[in-house]
Amino acid sequence: MTIGNENELEALRAVGRVVADVLRFMGEQIEPGMTTRELDDLGRVRMESQGARSAPELTYDFPGATCVSVNNQIAHGIPGDLVIEAGDLVNIDVSAEKEGFFADTGASFPVPPTSAEQTRLCQAARRALTRAVLSVKTGRRLNVIGQTIEREAHKGGYSVIRNLQSHGVGRDLHEEPTFIPPYSDTRDLRRIHEGMVFTIEPFFSTGADWAEDSGDGWTLVTDPDVMTVQYEHTIVATRRGPMVLTKGGF
């Protein structure tokens, strides 16, 4: 989506605030012994109380209000009977529609006690997201995002999940620009233009570089011996720099 007026921007800000609030709230509610369905139910109530609807349910008939992925389930986890345990890594992806506009955010939450390795991985991925957001300037090649993410991953000794990418958002959950890679692709000549709305969402791993289908039609997984985290914002490219619509979720 490219924003055409102030009303569209305000509508995007509104749905951005909702998804950030739901993500923050769900992260605060995580407790060992609860199921991922129980966590998702809390998110649904919070979302619907603010006049928003689950974007994955609405768009793809996803069997949950949010995606809750645990440990080597790294994306699109179906809320269910899986019990969250101390020491787990829980990724929550919240996307919603409100009054015809969509926003998308996500974060990984280590369940205490947290290991030093988990902390380092999370810090590196969050730092990469911050730097990738700051790299956004109108006129620049879109590939600057992937270059920044990949550089930050290599600095920390991590890999990126190459088949999970950032994407356009706004009037739909997924739209142009499609497949913004998390790595440097010099063949990608697309440019960032004023008003462009898209996500930035690096997946950092201690060894994996590809997400595999688990077989349930939704959940993507890696080898259980590696750790993977993700952090995501929805942003707007402006002449003054990037505007983050999903602040406060993590």
Side-chain angles (χ1 to χ4, degrees):
M1 175 181 178
T2 299
I3 291 174
N5 55 58
E6 189 64 30
N7 289 339
E8 290 181 340
L9 178 57
E10 185 49 45
L12 283 166
R13 282 177 171 148
V15 69
R17 286 192 294 267
V18 171
V19 296
D21 173 76
V22 173
L23 177 64
R24 177 194 55 76
F25 174 74
M26 291 178 69
E28 292 172 348
Q29 302 306 307
I30 296 172
E31 290 184 0
M34 74 188 313
T35 67
T36 56
R37 181 182 292 111
E38 289 170 335
L39 182 59
D40 181 63
D41 287 343
L42 292 171
R44 179 187 298 280
V45 171
R46 186 85 170 191
M47 183 185 297
E48 292 178 352
S49 73
Q50 299 178 70
R53 298 185 292 173
S54 164
E57 273 189 341
L58 183 65
T59 306
Y60 300 116
D61 199 25
F62 180 75
T66 66
C67 301
V68 184
S69 309
V70 181
N71 295 330
N72 72 310
Q73 300 176 340
I74 63 168
H76 308 160
I78 301 171
D81 296 328
L82 179 64
V83 176
I84 296 170
E85 299 180 1
D88 282 347
L89 267 174
V90 179
N91 180 268
I92 304 171
D93 194 316
V94 181
S95 52
E97 177 273 340
K98 184 175 182 178
E99 298 180 355
F101 291 86
F102 292 74
D104 194 358
T105 190
S108 294
F109 298 90
V111 183
T114 305
S115 71
E117 190 175 17
Q118 286 175 332
T119 299
R120 284 193 298 270
L121 178 61
C122 292
Q123 288 175 339
R126 291 181 67 161
R127 184 165 54 247
L129 174 60
T130 297
R131 292 181 177 170
V133 168
L134 291 175
S135 75
V136 172
K137 290 181 173 56
T138 56
R140 275 189 171 180
R141 285 187 178 174
L142 201 56
N143 185 46
V144 70
I145 295 166
Q147 289 174 341
T148 303
I149 290 171
E150 188 173 51
R151 181 173 64 247
E152 291 299 319
H154 289 170
K155 277 184 187 177
Y158 300 116
S159 55
V160 296
I161 304 298
R162 296 176 69 86
N163 61 325
L164 292 175
Q165 67 283 337
S166 308
H167 57 88
V169 66
R171 283 293 193 176
D172 289 295
L173 178 55
H174 294 97
E175 56 182 59
E176 294 291 339
T178 58
F179 199 90
I180 305 171
Y183 52 84
S184 178
D185 182 358
T186 57
R187 298 167 299 175
D188 188 350
L189 305 181
R190 295 173 296 175
R191 298 277 179 180
I192 299 167
H193 59 257
E194 184 177 358
M196 182 184 284
V197 186
F198 54 93
T199 70
I200 298 179
E201 48 180 311
F203 284 78
F204 273 28
S205 179
T206 57
D209 61 7
W210 203 259
E212 302 287 351
D213 190 340
S214 69
D216 67 10
W218 296 103
T219 310
L220 297 176
V221 299
T222 60
D223 190 299
D225 295 330
V226 300
M227 292 190 299
T228 304
V229 298
Q230 174 250 23
Y231 294 91
E232 176 183 15
H233 275 314
T234 295
I235 73 163
V236 180
T238 79
R239 283 177 292 179
R240 298 176 192 162
M243 177 187 297
V244 178
L245 301 177
T246 50
K247 283 182 181 177
F250 53 88

